[in-house]
Amino acid sequence: AQKITQTQPGMFVQEKEAVTLDCTYDTSDQSYGLFWYKQPSSGEMIFLIYQGSYDEQNATEGRYSLNFQKARKSANLVISASQLGDSAMYFCAMREAFNDYKLSFGAGTTVTVRA
Amino acid sequence: NAGVTQTPKFRVLKTGQSMTLLCAQDMNHEYMYWYRQDPGMGLRLIHYSVGEGTTAKGEVPDGYNVSRLKKQNFLLGLESAAPSQTSVYFCAAGRVGGLAKNIQYFGAGTRLSVL
């Protein structure tokens, strides 16, 4: 079964607007961590933001915030004030406590920011 | 500030040829990983290592072998390359597990084509 589902293969957003990337996950573990990575066209994987399953506050890192809804098992990434440099593929990933060495990745969402 | 370095960056092989991908990290992390990235599938774990001298299978280990003779190096070998192994390969390194914010840091990737 798919552990991480990203249902939006591609999205367009206007510069300076906000965009939300969806991520739902599947786990029976109570302890887990959720990550978002960015992959620009150059190919490297860049860590953006982390949310632990016991964290009460939603994580924020600059223009990135994670909308964590535990009961719905969703961990959506919000990018505020989009910039042209935000055009990239974005991956959601999860690490479960019983599997704590391993990251399970979603298929990714491509974001294109328009001027 | 090298982080995780992969060599080579690109390689073209003929079916049946062998090659070794090298990953080196300067962060003194215990865990190292090899992933492959195929279109529409996110990243899938091939093999991983939880410390010097240890290796273990991930989701898609067939056709690959690994070795971790030194803490800072993790080698991925293809003994007899097949076209199905055409992919982008990523190495990553991370600290010991648990639910802390243990980020996996990625190399720039190796683009491999098997003809």
Side-chain angles (χ1 to χ4, degrees), chain A residues 31-33 35 37 39 43-45 47 50 53-54 61 91 95 97 100-103 105-107, chain B residues 31 33 35 37 40-43 45 48 50 59 90 97-104 106-108:
Chain A
S31 301
Y32 52 90
F35 301 76
Y37 283 85
Q39 186 177 43
E44 71 269 33
M45 295 285 287
F47 165 75
Y50 166 83
S53 60
Y54 293 118
E61 294 280 354
F91 290 96
R95 187 179 67 235
D100 71 345
Y101 60 88
K102 179 181 178 301
L103 280 178
F105 283 85
Chain B
Y31 286 17
Y33 311 81
Y35 292 89
Q37 182 180 22
M41 300 187 74
L43 276 72
L45 184 65
Y48 66 99
V50 301
E59 298 173 72
F90 285 97
L99 278 195
K101 184 180 165 182
N102 289 331
I103 301 163
Q104 287 188 20
F106 285 80

Side-chain angles (χ1 to χ4, degrees), chain A residues 44-58:
Chain A
E44 71 269 33
M45 295 285 287
I46 302 167
F47 165 75
L48 294 179
I49 196 167
Y50 166 83
Q51 179 86 40
S53 60
Y54 293 118
D55 294 341
E56 293 185 353
Q57 303 277 346
N58 284 345

